Amino acid sequence: MKKNLSFLYVGFLLIGMLFLAACGTNETKDSSENNGSESEGNSESAEKKVLQVGTEATFAPFEYMEKGEIVGFDADLLKAVMKEAGLDYEFKNVGWEAMLASVQGEDLDFGVAGITINDKRKESYDFSVPYFQSTHVIVFNEGENITSAADLEGIKVGVQTGTTGADAAEKVLGENNKNISKYETQALAFMALKNGDVSAVVTDNVVAAEYVKNNPDAGVEMITDEASFESEYYGFMFPKGSEYKEEISEALATVIDNGTYQEIYKEWFGNDADIDALKKAAE
Ligand code: ARG
């Protein structure tokens, strides 16, 4: 009898917990919408959209796959921003060019992938405030005599298709230079360097540094060339006229302002971010 009662007790407890859990989710989901009306349940599920965010996750330390999950500085930043904005989202590794097309076609709500803000892209997309400063570097096999961008002339150069690294290489070597090989992912460009299919890769400095650090036996080094490669900034990329851009960009600015960005930055890069420079770039 005693036993039966304790089962009953546990049963009630469980039901109670489920009930509380259900209330809990309701509360966080419709904090701004809750008007206490009967139809609340329906309108809530219709309104609480899960935003689709695309990336190309071979771009460590910004986004890369680990145990089937997209991790990296961008992943953590995105999480903090969406928490600040109070929006649900799904972060998906769809590939670089597919992401560009899907954001433009509004099949994705936005893209976060170390995406450079530039005038050309601004014709087709809207951007958030800038969140990371970057420039290009040349990664090359040891023994190659490369001291500036001009030394890329006459050697095989690998880039990721449709990136500003590809633009930078073309600026130096000419647009349809057949020595430039374009790869679908950043990982494939580095692989080509390893295989000897190309002798150098032009890509974003922090990603290159991470590759060099993680591949101590690959026999590669890197240089930058400030005269040839410009400074650029990453931003979240939205379809033109996106209804979410303002809200999410504001949340990003808040996260940059309130110290959260600094925390995430320190975790990934070990030093302090130059917040003032970022804010200046946003003006
Ligand atoms: N910053 C460069 C660009 O916007 C490269 C970005 C590549 N990102 C990536 N996840 N593979 O063109």
Side-chain angles (χ1 to χ4, degrees):
M1 186 63 191
K2 221 174 171 187
K3 212 171 179 186
N4 280 345
L5 271 179
S6 60
F7 268 123
L8 257 183
Y9 180 63
V10 170
F12 276 128
L13 245 180
L14 276 176
I15 290 169
M17 278 162 70
L18 279 174
F19 181 70
L20 280 179
C23 292
T25 6
N26 249 347
E27 217 146 69
T28 48
K29 289 230 167 178
D30 59 10
S31 49
S32 59
E33 235 66 60
N34 194 346
N35 52 15
S37 75
E38 294 286 1
S39 63
E40 178 187 302
N42 285 336
S43 66
E44 178 209 323
S45 55
E47 267 158 40
K48 196 65 193 184
K49 184 178 150 146
V50 178
L51 271 69
Q52 302 298 304
V53 188
T55 195
E56 192 282 293
T58 72
F59 206 61
F62 296 99
E63 46 268 324
Y64 57 100
M65 299 306 295
E66 201 175 78
K67 297 185 192 123
E69 259 183 66
I70 307 169
V71 297
F73 176 78
D74 280 353
D76 285 354
L77 182 63
L78 173 65
K79 191 171 172 189
V81 169
M82 295 306 264
K83 190 173 163 209
E84 175 64 36
L87 294 168
D88 286 344
Y89 70 102
E90 197 183 335
F91 199 25
K92 301 201 291 196
N93 184 18
V94 298
W96 179 251
E97 290 195 292
M99 178 202 66
L100 293 177
S102 302
V103 171
Q104 192 167 10
E106 296 181 41
D107 291 324
L108 288 171
D109 293 295
F110 63 110
V112 178
I115 305 166
T116 300
I117 305 168
N118 63 26
D119 288 344
K120 193 165 119 202
R121 288 181 181 158
K122 276 187 193 163
E123 288 170 15
S124 319
Y125 303 95
D126 282 348
F127 283 94
S128 69
V129 291
Y131 71 88
F132 199 91
Q133 191 268 333
S134 172
T135 188
H136 291 112
V137 294
I138 305 166
V139 187
F140 55 97
N141 290 323
E142 269 166 17
E144 212 65 56
N145 187 17
I146 298 177
T147 57
S148 73
D151 293 330
L152 291 175
E153 200 68 61
I155 65 170
K156 292 218 174 311
V157 180
V159 294
Q160 186 181 8
T161 315
T163 60
T164 53
D167 294 343
E170 287 185 329
K171 208 173 120 197
V172 176
L173 298 175
E175 229 170 81
N176 292 312
N177 192 311
K178 56 181 181 349
N179 278 339
I180 300 177
S181 300
K182 297 178 176 175
Y183 299 93
E184 211 162 291
T185 69
Q186 182 57 47
L188 284 173
F190 282 136
M191 192 84 82
L193 182 67
K194 205 172 208 162
N195 295 341
D197 293 339
V198 299
S199 303
V201 161
V202 177
T203 188
D204 297 18
N205 59 339
V206 175
V207 171
E210 183 76 7
Y211 177 77
V212 173
K213 189 182 92 193
N214 291 340
N215 293 274
D217 301 325
V220 288
E221 39 189 308
M222 59 180 255
I223 59 142
T224 188
D225 179 341
E226 274 160 34
S228 305
F229 299 140
E230 284 160 21
S231 164
E232 45 184 50
Y233 282 91
Y234 298 163
F236 295 179
M237 188 178 78
F238 297 82
K240 262 234 168 303
S242 156
E243 57 175 308
Y244 294 105
K245 189 212 103 180
E246 222 36 67
E247 192 180 352
I248 293 172
S249 185
E250 251 169 50
L252 173 55
T254 302
V255 162
I256 290 173
D257 258 344
N258 71 12
T260 308
Y261 175 93
Q262 190 64 273
E263 245 170 63
I264 299 170
Y265 189 99
K266 198 146 195 174
E267 234 168 77
W268 282 98
F269 304 112
N271 56 334
D272 283 332
D274 188 345
I275 303 286
D276 288 342
L278 260 191
K279 286 199 190 167
K280 255 216 161 89
E283 282 165 9

